[in-house]
Amino acid sequence: MTLLKDGITLIHEHTTIDLSKVKNNPDCFLDCFDETIQEYKELYDLGVRNIVDVTANGMGRNVEYVNKVAVATGINILQATGFYKEPFLPDFVYSMSIEELADFMVSEIESGIDGGTTRAALIGEIGTSKDVFEPMERKVFEASVIAAKRTNTVISTHTSLGTLALEQASFFVEKGIDPSRVIIGHQELSGNLDQIKALINQGFNVAFDTIGKNNYFPDTTRADYLFELQELGKLDAITLSLDITRKSNFKYQGGIGYTYLFTDFLPLLRQRGITEASIHKMLVENPQRIFGGK
């Protein structure tokens, strides 16, 4: 049984998120409800039917907010359990044991999040810091592996600027997790195509999920990477998304908006030589496979 509707899936987004307190920046609080509905409706018109919302516990996760957006827009939004990375972890991550954290995630997957009826459809985004795997992050990874094995749930990860992806992969392999059930995030930001190829060769799914964030990494190079992967026959592992996390990313504040992927990035890919079949694979087929569809 698939968790996804037929259609396009954005693999790594946040319908609402609140990192504003830790970052001391109100821009990092997505509480623009009406504007989110407007932009998600535009996505629906472009063929988007699923959004994988990776807002973990401690990131301002708000189940009812997301459910209201889903109802208003017709988009199927998958919600997550799990914990992000330092310094965004809830206090109880420090005090609870690995087994207790695993039980917490299993309960959210099998019974519902925050005592409600909405069940978590994935574990994520669980993350590592830039160039360092902090002890509490490793604890979260340990618990996530236990929960994933008990529930056969997909894991989605955060890599800070693409770093430590190979370390994450080694961890999952050592723990006996099926790489095809793991999405390693933010990999274009690594600027390391060899690393991306290594992850694919190990069987992991790789997310190019910061499309449009040209201040981090140029879309032209993202397109170059995807073209080379297409020529090598390695796009079966690639998924796409924008990872919008700031109000200033929204159109009403002059940002690129969620539709940028379709209005700007896909034309760039076509110009670079990416085929329609490849685009369909990254946006439709690969997410369906990851989440148990065709």
Side-chain angles (χ1 to χ4, degrees):
M1 183 181 117
T2 180
L3 295 167
L4 303 181
K5 293 181 180 178
D6 290 339
I8 292 168
T9 300
L10 297 183
I11 206 77
H12 187 115
E13 296 298 339
H14 303 275
T15 308
T16 183
I17 187 171
D18 187 6
L19 306 180
S20 62
K21 296 174 188 68
V22 173
K23 293 193 172 188
N24 194 27
N25 184 352
D27 192 34
C28 300
F29 183 19
L30 290 190
D31 58 348
C32 38
F33 184 77
D34 293 340
E35 292 82 5
T36 299
I37 287 174
Q38 177 58 41
E39 294 217 18
Y40 275 27
K41 282 181 174 177
E42 292 174 13
L43 287 177
Y44 189 95
D45 291 342
L46 289 163
V48 174
R49 293 297 178 268
N50 309 284
I51 287 175
V52 180
D53 191 312
V54 294
T55 311
N57 196 311
M59 300 172 79
R61 185 180 63 171
N62 186 330
V63 174
E64 290 311 311
Y65 183 108
V66 175
N67 284 339
K68 286 176 183 175
V69 173
V71 169
T73 61
I75 291 181
N76 174 40
I77 307 176
L78 273 56
Q79 299 197 52
T81 188
F83 314 97
Y84 184 32
K85 69 177 192 74
E86 294 277 23
F88 302 96
L89 300 172
D91 290 343
F92 66 84
V93 170
Y94 298 85
S95 58
M96 287 172 71
S97 68
I98 290 169
E99 290 73 20
E100 286 170 332
L101 291 174
D103 288 342
F104 181 94
M105 287 186 267
V106 169
S107 176
E108 293 203 326
I109 293 163
E110 293 182 344
S111 301
I113 300 170
D114 297 335
T117 58
T118 300
R119 294 192 292 179
L122 72 150
I123 298 167
E125 61 183 295
I126 60 170
T128 48
S129 296
K130 186 175 183 294
D131 295 319
V132 59
F133 208 153
E134 297 285 3
M136 284 301 117
E137 295 166 353
R138 190 172 293 274
K139 182 180 183 180
V140 167
F141 271 67
E142 295 267 8
S144 298
V145 160
I146 294 169
K149 284 183 175 179
R150 283 170 56 187
T151 58
N152 190 32
T153 300
V154 171
I155 297 174
S156 179
T157 81
H158 165 96
T159 61
S160 295
L161 298 178
T163 65
L164 295 193
L166 296 176
E167 287 78 1
Q168 289 186 7
S170 295
F171 178 89
F172 289 125
V173 170
E174 286 167 16
K175 298 295 181 182
I177 290 289
D178 178 357
S180 73
R181 304 290 288 166
V182 179
I183 307 161
I184 306 282
H186 312 326
Q187 276 314 286
E188 76 274 36
L189 297 182
S190 70
N192 186 339
L193 193 54
D194 288 337
Q195 172 175 299
I196 291 167
K197 291 176 187 173
L199 292 169
I200 295 171
N201 290 341
Q202 290 181 69
F204 288 91
N205 301 291
V206 173
F208 279 51
D209 53 16
T210 60
I211 305 301
K213 294 187 178 182
N214 286 287
N215 54 323
Y216 285 99
F217 198 76
D219 277 344
T220 50
T221 309
R222 288 183 176 92
D224 290 341
Y225 282 5
L226 290 172
F227 180 76
E228 182 165 340
L229 293 170
Q230 173 183 267
E231 298 311 286
L232 293 170
K234 293 185 183 297
L235 288 186
D236 287 342
I238 302 296
T239 56
L240 303 177
S241 224
L242 301 105
D243 191 22
I244 283 179
T245 58
R246 293 170 178 261
K247 284 197 273 275
S248 57
N249 297 145
F250 277 71
K251 291 180 185 176
Y252 84 101
Q253 288 208 6
I256 59 172
Y258 287 94
T259 58
Y260 174 93
L261 175 63
F262 302 90
T263 59
D264 292 67
F265 190 65
L266 293 187
L268 176 65
L269 293 188
R270 294 179 179 109
Q271 187 180 354
R272 186 64 185 83
I274 305 288
T275 66
E276 295 303 320
S278 290
I279 290 169
H280 190 266
K281 183 174 288 187
M282 292 185 286
L283 286 173
V284 178
E285 295 169 32
N286 294 345
Q288 286 284 350
R289 171 186 55 77
I290 294 166
F291 285 98
K294 302 160 195 168

